[in-house]
Amino acid sequence: MSTFLDSLGGWLLVVLVGAPLLAAAVLLAVGDRVRDRAAAETGTAVAAGTLLVAALAAVGAAPYDRPGTGLSVDVAWIPALGVRFHLGLDGLGAPLVLLTALLTLLVCWHLVRVRPVAGRVRGLVACILTVESGALATFTAQDLLLFFVAFEVVLVPMWFVVALWGDDTQAPRVGEPSTPLPGGENARRDAANRFVLYTALGSAVMLLGLVLVALRTGTTDLAALAYAGGAGMSTTTQTIAATLIVLGLAVKAPMFPLHTWLPPAHTIAPTAGSELLAGVLLTMGTYGLVRVAVPVVPDGVRAIAPFLGALGVAGILWGGLACLVERDLKRLVAFSSVAHMGFVLLGVASMTPQGLQGALFANVAHGLITGLLFLVVGGLKDRRHTADLEGLGSGLRDRLPRLGWLLAFGAVAGLGLPGLAGFWGELLAIVGAWNGEGALGPLARPLAVLAAFGTALAAAYLLRVLFLVWHGPNGRSAAPAGPAALFAPVTVGDATTHEVAVAAPLVVATVVLGLLPWLLLDVTAPIVRVLLAGVGS
Amino acid sequence: MSAQTPLHAGITGVQAVDPLALAPAIATLVTIVVLVLVDAVAPAAARLRRVHDVVALTGLGVAGVFVAVLGVTASGRDLGPFAGAAVRSTVCVPGGGFVLPSCSFVVSPLTLTLQAVVVVGAIVCLLLALDGPGARDRSVHHLLLLATVTGALVLAGSRDLAILVVAFETASLPVIGLVALRRDAQGAQGAVTLLLTAVASLGLLLVGVAMLLLATGSLHLDRIAAAVGDPTLPDSVRVVAVAGTLLAVAGIAFKLSVVPFHLWTPDTYAGAPLPVAAFLSVVSKAAGLAAVVVLLGVGLPALGDAWSPAVAVLAALTLTVGNLVALRQTVAVRLLAWSTVAQAGWVVLPLGAVASGTPGDARQAVAASVGYLVAYGVASLLAFSVVVLLARHHPAGEDHTLEAYRGLARREPVAAGALGFALLCLAGLPPGLVGLVAKVVAVRPLVDAGVWWLAVVAAANVALGVAYYLRWTALLVVRPTATPPTWRVRPAEGIALGMSLALCVAFSVLPQVVAGLVPTALR
């Protein structure tokens, strides 16, 4: 098996990145003759194949306890800029490659039975597959500028997903039927534009930092840059580069206070879009921090680490407080994403092995748990055209037990209950921050304490949701009246077997990673040691 | 080297003319003569309309072949086709003693690249114009277009101030006639606006050139470079040289639509026939950049500390004003006009990073500027190709708004795909990789020289540009409100669209073409 994979070598990675892109191009080219169901099934088949290739590549790249990438392909691309088409898979990228491939498969499979509120499925599947290709390229790119190009690939298709397939129908909230919420094409366009403008600006700023690194070191090879550990750049240069790169990535991560694009985009996006945003795009931002910021300009990152850590903790607290009062369930999950990413940022800022490990773990856990939550909440919103917490969640376990249980599971996992995946990342990030005096200075312990308080906030807001789901009045007696009746539920039934089957892999993965965290920690530990070697703490 | 080279040397010296060096320009000149002859033989024969087209296209094609041949002969020693040193020089005056001969026309990689942009742009614009309202009078249209191209081709190789000014005017004045060919009130207004700007700019350019001559005593750019690079140059003379440089740049800037010399752009683009607007945005802009880089990069790198900050301010203004106004446009051609203003900012952006005045910096900046021009040129040609097609099939004609593109992807998937690709190239987002790499190339010199304020302005403008290019792209795929008739694409338009699409795709797959335009020395 291993020799077979070795003979395939890096071309497996080219297939991994190229296959979804090619399938997307074909889907776009065939025109509207393809029916929705067939398009979704094609997407599912391609995504399943990609997941298989990803699994093969992950096996082929093993073992992960040696430096360098197990699989790689390396071709000259733009010699004038020193850019190579260099893809490689190592312990840092492998978990995220698998997560991306899995989420894409689930999203496509979900579309086989559940149609989006607006638009044709063919284009949506093409966009999803393009996003997958860009994300996989980002997680395997071993060249600074190739990483940037791959990072940018997801922008336009994701913009289309929000702007064209967004769910803009907004029923009035329970209790205030007279005030219609902003909706319609403008709401979609607004959310999509905000997403793309924030991210494009962030990317442009990041590009300046990447170009500075490439000019001063004379190479764009990520392995060489990590090996040099910032050698050849003065501390000032490193600080400028780190500020630019981190600012750019922080928009996508997102870091407080640059997160304001995220709630509208998550809320408007169709279920598939929210899942990809949460599980793939956000992880790209934090992955970038670990891949192109910490090892490449370690002194620079150390210089700005206190700010990064403080803003991460601010995100944890802000997200938690917002969730305490948020009435829209989708926005609530979006704000909890901001809080989750705060832990990741804190872990990165600590620049300790535990912190970085925690950040990577929390990244994957976030993808699984928030992916599940958006699946459930999206399913609820599709049924009622509203995501109002009290209208939807109240007494959910009574009315729709399957969705109720799934939502409860997602909420419990999201608050970081020990035994589930969300726990380990947050724990390690807090431990890393506690030990992170090297980078965080005197702020290390206060930040760790505040972050721990953030977990209590998470418990509070998610228990609020759970309470409503479990004990709230089930609202059977109160039929919707007034404008709400316009949005009479399309399907009021409980989750179908199909929907449960789509959610099941996420639930299983959350439990498995919660009980057997070393499955992931053992993969990331060696690469984290390599990345932090240049830090010399 | 003495700054006091006698003026008459250029007149009395032995002048060796190398016809091959001038071959591309000679080809277009001969074509003009043939066109005049054809017109004289049969002035009004409808049968001969196609003869005019064939003659003009053949002339441009032959010019393109000569550019390619010169490029291939240049590639003998070096890596890329345009990576070699100077190939040929002609119209030289002998030096004396240790003074090298100075040539008025040099075929260098820089020359060839600019000439390639001009020829390709002219061919595509001519193909687009053949059936349009601007080319009803074939002979006049083709003559004016070829005259402009001749001027631009000579301009790219000119290395003395006199030829530079003459070639610049040859590349500017016929365009005014082209704009007026629409023959309606709007066209006349556009032509008059352009005429007034061109004449005022000519004055500035002449005064600037005269002051440079006064300060350095030479018309040849290599001798001027040596004179202003001389550390013993008195400050009083230097002031005159700097003033002359800035005035000359101001005189050239209108051609690039650099703010605040851009005011003619929207009216003229809207008034001109669309293919002429495309011609203005690619060929005319290439000629303007040729004049700027030849004058500043070849002749005056030593004064970089004076002109580079000025260019930096102009670039920042151009980017910001162009993009902000473009955000509010609804008429397609006006949006394109303002977007070309913003793109002009990107084109001159790298020249804002030569403050150190070393030849290496100037070379890097010029390479980046020309590289951006190549990327912008192909993307702009592609966008205009689709806009011309739509204008022919839309009741509002050339004044159609962006709403005309609603749902285009459902009726004309190929054209919509091409336009979307072109817009993403201009915005610099994947899949438009050529635009993305061009932006990397353009900001590199700024980051290298540490001109951070300008780099940040450029980064902010990326986001501004994305806003309106994506707004347009989105309209292509939304549900259409009405179903207009399907298009009947004529062969010439199909070839133009195919050519520019092929170039855009090829450069996106191999961005080395845009990034690798680094000549070994600026000549």
Side-chain angles (χ1 to χ4, degrees):
Chain A
M1 184 71 183
S2 179
T3 49
F4 168 67
L5 288 173
D6 283 346
S7 66
L8 279 177
W11 294 104
L12 211 53
L13 296 176
V14 176
V15 174
L16 180 70
V17 172
L21 198 60
L22 192 67
V26 170
L27 270 177
L28 283 181
V30 291
D32 268 338
R33 287 183 299 259
V34 181
R35 279 175 299 119
D36 285 352
R37 180 77 182 261
E41 279 165 353
T42 313
T44 311
V46 172
T50 311
L51 180 60
L52 186 70
V53 175
L56 278 177
V59 171
Y64 294 104
D65 55 356
R66 61 188 178 195
T69 51
L71 290 178
S72 75
V73 56
D74 191 0
V75 186
W77 188 37
I78 318 177
L81 301 176
V83 178
R84 305 185 65 78
F85 186 81
H86 185 184
L87 299 178
L89 193 63
D90 60 11
L92 197 56
L96 293 170
V97 163
L98 288 173
L99 173 71
T100 304
L102 174 69
L103 278 177
T104 314
L105 172 61
L106 296 181
V107 162
C108 287
W109 189 23
H110 187 240
L111 282 173
V112 172
R113 290 284 177 85
V114 184
R115 289 201 44 192
V117 174
R120 301 290 306 268
V121 173
R122 179 178 65 97
L124 182 57
V125 170
C127 285
I128 290 170
L129 290 176
T130 314
V131 169
E132 178 185 30
S133 173
L136 292 175
T138 307
F139 295 139
T140 50
Q142 298 296 325
D143 184 285
L144 211 54
L145 282 179
L146 185 64
F147 169 85
F148 179 76
V149 169
F151 198 80
E152 293 283 271
V153 165
V154 300
L155 211 59
V156 173
M158 203 63 215
W159 181 82
F160 276 124
V161 168
V162 179
L164 297 181
W165 287 275
D167 180 5
D168 53 17
T169 50
Q170 294 257 17
R173 292 169 175 174
V174 170
E176 37 188 290
S178 57
T179 53
L181 291 172
E185 191 181 325
N186 286 338
R188 276 189 283 157
R189 201 52 60 72
D190 190 54
N193 283 347
R194 206 189 276 208
F195 157 71
V196 82
L197 292 185
Y198 270 62
T199 335
L201 183 58
S203 302
V205 169
M206 173 170 75
L207 177 64
L208 297 180
L210 298 182
V211 169
L212 179 62
V213 169
L215 278 168
R216 290 293 176 267
T217 58
T219 178
T220 57
D221 185 61
L222 277 170
L225 285 167
Y227 183 74
M233 286 181 282
S234 68
T235 313
T236 322
T237 308
Q238 284 202 35
T239 310
I240 296 173
T243 310
L244 293 169
I245 295 174
V246 169
L247 260 181
L249 292 167
V251 172
K252 195 137 194 171
M255 177 178 80
F256 177 87
L258 304 173
H259 67 279
T260 48
W261 62 268
L262 184 126
H266 269 333
T267 314
I268 299 283
T271 306
S274 326
E275 269 184 86
L276 287 182
L277 268 174
V280 176
L281 263 69
L282 301 199
T283 52
M284 280 167 63
T286 43
Y287 167 85
L289 286 176
V290 182
R291 175 68 86 185
V292 302
V294 171
V296 174
V297 281
D299 291 345
V301 175
R302 188 178 301 117
I304 60 168
F307 300 98
L308 188 60
L311 289 173
V313 171
I316 298 175
L317 299 176
W318 181 265
L321 291 172
C323 282
L324 274 179
V325 294
E326 183 56 58
R327 293 190 50 169
D328 184 306
L329 204 47
K330 250 183 154 176
R331 283 177 72 90
L332 191 146
V333 179
F335 273 116
S336 82
S337 287
V338 177
H340 285 160
M341 285 298 139
F343 283 103
V344 177
L345 292 171
L346 180 65
V348 172
S350 76
M351 297 186 80
T352 56
Q354 301 99 324
L356 242 57
Q357 288 257 64
L360 293 170
F361 201 104
N363 227 357
V364 174
H366 167 80
L368 294 172
I369 296 168
T370 314
L372 173 66
L373 278 172
F374 274 122
L375 197 63
V376 177
V377 175
L380 282 169
K381 194 179 176 187
D382 287 347
R383 283 169 171 72
R384 300 296 297 265
H385 291 308
T386 172
D388 188 53
L389 178 57
E390 297 189 11
L392 267 187
S394 191
L396 189 65
R397 186 192 54 127
D398 255 7
R399 290 182 288 131
L400 310 170
R402 284 172 168 182
L403 280 172
W405 274 102
L406 283 174
L407 182 61
F409 178 83
V412 170
L415 66 80
L417 192 77
L420 295 176
F423 172 71
W424 298 106
E426 296 184 3
L427 178 76
L428 283 168
I430 293 172
V431 171
W434 185 264
N435 296 327
E437 278 120 344
L440 293 171
L443 282 177
R445 306 245 155 129
L447 286 181
V449 171
L450 282 173
F453 177 67
T455 60
L457 266 183
Y461 66 75
L462 286 168
L463 287 174
R464 167 172 162 252
V465 175
L466 278 183
F467 181 82
L468 267 172
V469 170
W470 233 248
H471 294 296
N474 66 20
R476 268 191 187 139
S477 51
L486 288 177
F487 299 99
V490 182
T491 334
V492 281
D494 200 354
T496 57
T497 317
H498 173 253
E499 282 175 290
V500 174
V502 169
L506 296 174
V507 174
V508 171
T510 308
V511 173
V512 168
L513 279 186
L515 295 177
L516 310 170
W518 55 84
L519 284 180
L520 181 52
L521 292 175
D522 282 354
V523 170
T524 53
I527 185 78
V528 162
R529 270 201 303 280
V530 173
L531 294 182
L532 285 176
V535 176
S537 51
Chain B
M1 194 192 294
S2 163
Q4 302 303 317
T5 312
L7 264 178
H8 55 79
I11 301 161
T12 58
V14 180
Q15 312 238 328
V17 176
D18 175 2
L20 186 54
L22 290 164
I26 291 173
T28 51
L29 270 179
V30 170
T31 315
I32 291 178
V33 174
V34 174
L35 271 178
V36 171
L37 286 177
V38 171
D39 209 37
V41 170
R47 283 182 295 115
L48 287 181
R49 288 168 55 118
R50 289 293 156 197
V51 175
H52 282 109
D53 300 346
V54 170
V55 168
L57 280 170
T58 311
L60 286 172
V62 170
V65 169
F66 279 127
V67 172
V69 167
L70 287 166
V72 170
T73 50
S75 68
R77 283 157 298 166
D78 291 286
L79 291 171
F82 295 138
V87 197
R88 283 158 190 281
S89 4
T90 187
V91 201
C92 302
V93 293
F98 294 105
V99 183
L100 292 168
S102 296
C103 299
S104 296
F105 191 91
V106 173
V107 181
S108 69
L110 177 67
T111 310
L112 289 172
T113 313
L114 289 166
Q115 286 182 338
V117 175
V118 167
V119 169
V120 171
I123 290 176
V124 171
C125 294
L126 185 59
L127 284 171
L128 289 176
L130 289 184
D131 300 306
R136 266 184 232 111
D137 195 342
R138 299 290 163 126
S139 50
V140 176
H141 178 269
H142 296 354
L143 274 176
L144 290 171
L145 190 134
L146 282 165
T148 314
V149 170
T150 310
L153 290 176
V154 175
L155 185 57
S158 66
R159 297 295 180 268
D160 96 37
L161 291 176
I163 292 192
L164 187 119
V165 171
V166 172
F168 185 77
E169 290 313 316
T170 314
S172 297
L173 298 178
V175 181
I176 301 166
L178 279 177
V179 172
L181 278 182
R182 203 164 103 176
R183 295 192 177 150
D184 58 7
Q186 218 183 350
Q189 191 199 343
V192 169
T193 316
L194 182 55
L195 176 68
L196 292 177
T197 317
V199 170
S201 297
L202 174 61
L204 288 176
L205 178 61
L206 284 177
V207 174
V209 165
M211 287 170 85
L212 278 173
L213 175 60
L214 183 68
T216 60
S218 177
L219 283 171
H220 286 98
L221 288 172
D222 50 354
R223 296 192 180 173
I224 291 176
V228 297
D230 186 354
T232 61
L233 187 73
D235 274 351
S236 52
V237 178
R238 199 182 140 82
V239 168
V240 177
V242 168
T245 308
L246 296 181
L247 282 173
V249 170
I252 297 169
F254 89 94
K255 208 154 171 60
L256 277 164
S257 300
V258 166
V259 174
F261 309 102
H262 69 292
L263 289 167
W264 60 277
T265 312
D267 280 347
T268 305
Y269 274 52
L274 269 175
V276 175
F279 189 77
L280 280 168
S281 87
V282 177
V283 178
S284 197
K285 206 160 275 201
L289 185 71
V292 168
V293 296
V294 165
L295 183 67
L296 298 182
V298 177
L300 300 158
L303 294 181
D305 57 342
W307 56 256
S308 189
V311 173
V313 172
L314 290 182
L317 271 176
T318 309
L319 277 173
T320 314
V321 171
N323 276 327
L324 284 178
V325 182
L327 279 176
R328 311 292 310 165
Q329 300 303 313
T330 50
V331 177
V333 64
R334 284 192 180 265
L335 191 148
L336 277 177
W338 284 104
S339 116
T340 62
V341 172
Q343 298 285 346
W346 281 103
V347 169
V348 297
L349 188 72
L351 297 174
V354 199
S356 70
T358 61
D361 278 2
R363 184 169 62 85
Q364 198 191 14
V366 168
S369 274
V370 176
Y372 195 91
L373 177 80
V374 171
Y376 158 76
V378 292
S380 189
L381 285 176
L382 183 53
F384 267 108
S385 303
V386 181
V387 172
V388 167
L389 272 172
L390 189 126
R392 207 160 55 69
H393 294 93
H394 196 268
E398 305 199 329
D399 303 320
H400 62 270
T401 62
L402 292 188
E403 278 301 308
Y405 294 86
R406 188 174 275 275
L408 187 65
R410 290 173 192 250
R411 310 190 310 267
E412 297 291 338
V414 175
L419 180 60
F421 187 61
L423 293 172
L424 291 178
C425 282
L426 289 171
L429 290 177
L433 280 182
V434 59
L436 190 150
V437 173
K439 289 197 161 63
V440 174
V441 168
V443 297
R444 245 168 72 98
L446 301 179
V447 172
D448 200 13
V451 192
W452 287 109
W453 71 268
L454 189 54
V456 171
V457 168
N461 274 287
V462 171
L464 281 180
V466 166
Y468 60 86
Y469 289 124
L470 269 187
R471 180 161 60 98
W472 194 349
T473 313
L475 275 174
L476 299 172
V477 289
V478 295
R479 195 178 298 278
T481 44
T483 47
T486 45
W487 292 2
R488 285 213 303 277
V489 179
R490 293 172 181 155
E493 293 164 335
I495 295 169
L497 181 67
M499 251 178 84
S500 37
L501 181 60
L503 283 174
C504 259
V505 171
F507 290 178
S508 284
V509 176
L510 297 170
Q512 169 71 8
V513 181
V514 170
L517 295 171
V518 189
T520 46
L522 266 188
R523 288 193 55 185

